[in-house]
Amino acid sequence: MDKIRFRLAHADDAEKLLDVYAPYVENTNISFEYEVPTEEEFRQRIEKISAKFPYIVALVNGEIVGYAYASTFRTKAAYDRSLETTIYIKKNFHRHGIGRKLYKILEDLLKLQNITNLYASITYPNLKSMKFHEKLGYVKIAHFNRCGYKRGAWLDMIFLEKIINKHVLPAKEIIYMANLPQEKIDSVFSKYNEA
């Protein structure tokens, strides 16, 4: 495979990110959405998330082949240092280490932001996703029975958790992406971008 590069997502990536995401909505139960969002809806999602937290894309030969981001886990203020992670990779690019690197970059940036807990919600059963998260240190903490309905089936969902920072008192202030020094962001990406 050619060199894999990573960078922060831009709102203008919406169309290419939808190319990655749409098959998961249309052909699987991995996403609980029924309809593929419009390009404008997806653009707004990227802007909203990346205003606070990392939204990262993976590129092979300049083509976006996957992405990962962290977003609000719950809206009440006490949850602010806990985020939900999301990752999607084009089918032909699975098993090349792209997902692992996307998550490593995500975690490195979130550590700098003083985030402590990460949560992944996964349709169950999805052994591939479970094993991927477990290899990265996530632990199953909850199982919700038949909480979703899609494509004529009732679906379970599980939560996995990973602690990435110490829980200190008082809690450290969150540093949102706009306030994270550019040299720190660049330093994280330089560890994972192939020369």
Side-chain angles (χ1 to χ4, degrees):
M1 180 186 299
D2 293 305
K3 289 179 183 174
I4 305 163
R5 309 252 338 143
F6 302 91
R7 65 166 170 79
L8 292 174
H10 310 295
D12 290 342
D13 293 325
E15 180 183 1
K16 298 298 181 188
L17 293 177
L18 272 173
D19 288 345
V20 175
Y21 181 57
Y24 289 95
V25 175
E26 295 170 333
N27 306 319
T28 76
N29 293 330
I30 291 171
S31 168
F32 272 23
E33 288 197 86
Y34 280 16
E35 302 292 331
V36 176
T38 66
E39 187 176 330
E40 183 55 33
E41 285 174 312
F42 216 73
R43 172 185 291 271
Q44 290 173 12
R45 291 181 190 184
I46 296 166
E47 289 173 343
K48 181 179 179 182
I49 292 165
S50 57
K52 291 185 174 184
F53 305 114
Y55 201 127
I56 303 156
V57 297
L59 303 99
V60 174
N61 289 335
E63 174 194 357
I64 292 176
V65 299
Y67 64 93
Y69 61 85
S71 58
T72 302
F73 172 63
R74 294 286 183 268
T75 57
K76 293 184 175 70
Y79 290 110
D80 282 354
R81 288 161 190 82
S82 298
L83 299 178
E84 185 169 355
T85 58
T86 300
I87 186 167
Y88 289 100
I89 310 272
K90 278 190 174 180
K91 187 175 182 181
N92 295 345
F93 292 90
H94 290 195
R95 306 198 61 77
H96 293 286
I98 294 171
R100 183 181 52 79
K101 287 183 180 178
L102 278 168
Y103 258 27
K104 290 293 187 186
I105 295 167
L106 190 66
E107 288 177 16
D108 286 357
L109 290 169
L110 293 171
K111 286 175 187 175
L112 293 172
Q113 293 186 269
N114 297 322
I115 300 303
T116 56
N117 297 31
L118 300 181
Y119 296 95
S121 60
I122 301 172
T123 307
Y124 184 86
N126 183 343
L127 296 181
K128 186 176 175 183
S129 186
M130 279 185 64
K131 288 190 182 302
F132 167 77
H133 284 86
E134 287 170 350
K135 281 183 182 178
L136 292 175
Y138 283 75
V139 177
K140 181 181 170 185
I141 57 165
H143 189 127
F144 300 90
N145 294 299
R146 296 185 179 118
C147 60
Y149 180 82
K150 184 177 177 184
R151 300 172 77 220
W154 285 102
L155 306 166
D156 291 7
M157 190 265 290
I158 60 170
F159 269 137
L160 289 89
E161 177 184 61
K162 183 174 183 179
I163 309 300
I164 61 167
N165 260 329
K166 291 184 179 178
H167 294 89
V168 297
L169 293 173
K172 293 181 181 179
E173 290 297 316
I174 297 170
I175 304 169
Y176 292 118
M177 286 300 289
N179 298 319
L180 201 59
Q182 188 61 48
E183 61 270 15
K184 289 189 175 186
I185 296 171
D186 293 343
S187 176
V188 169
F189 280 99
S190 68
K191 290 194 304 189
Y192 298 96
N193 278 326
E194 299 173 8

